[in-house]
Amino acid sequence: MPRTSNNSAIIRSRYFGAFDFPGDSVVYIVNGRQAKNKKSAETEVKKHASKIDRVSISEVGPDGKRLVEISFSEDDKGDDIVVP
């Protein structure tokens, strides 16, 4: 559990926990397109994102799934981004 200070969680992940949910409980939207599954969404973000612009994680909906939207900027040079 992350430490908190003044009721604010300290973020430890570049993706704000977007990939911490079971794959069958999430629908991923990556740069406006629905990803096939969790693995393809995570691979696309790690391979192409040079800057994460926005991560939005919804509450669980009536269908038992949550919506995770990730928007990012791509590296113009086409180099792979190494994520720690």
Side-chain angles (χ1 to χ4, degrees):
M1 174 104 181
R3 298 179 326 181
T4 59
S5 173
N6 298 333
N7 296 328
S8 299
I10 297 172
I11 304 301
R12 294 180 185 214
S13 166
R14 177 177 184 198
Y15 311 115
F16 303 99
F19 300 113
D20 292 346
F21 305 103
D24 60 348
S25 69
V26 181
V27 173
Y28 287 95
I29 306 294
V30 179
N31 274 359
R33 295 183 319 269
Q34 183 172 339
K36 188 176 3 175
N37 54 40
K38 175 182 176 177
K39 184 178 180 179
S40 66
E42 191 169 12
T43 300
E44 182 176 350
V45 171
K46 286 183 176 182
K47 186 173 182 179
H48 298 290
S50 62
K51 177 184 170 218
I52 302 297
D53 298 320
R54 184 176 70 88
V55 175
S56 172
I57 303 172
S58 74
E59 295 292 325
V60 176
D63 62 352
K65 294 188 176 198
R66 70 178 71 237
L67 182 66
V68 174
E69 296 180 75
I70 303 171
S71 298
F72 62 84
S73 302
E74 294 189 47
D75 184 11
D76 293 335
K77 297 176 186 172
D79 295 334
D80 287 341
I81 304 301
V82 177
V83 179

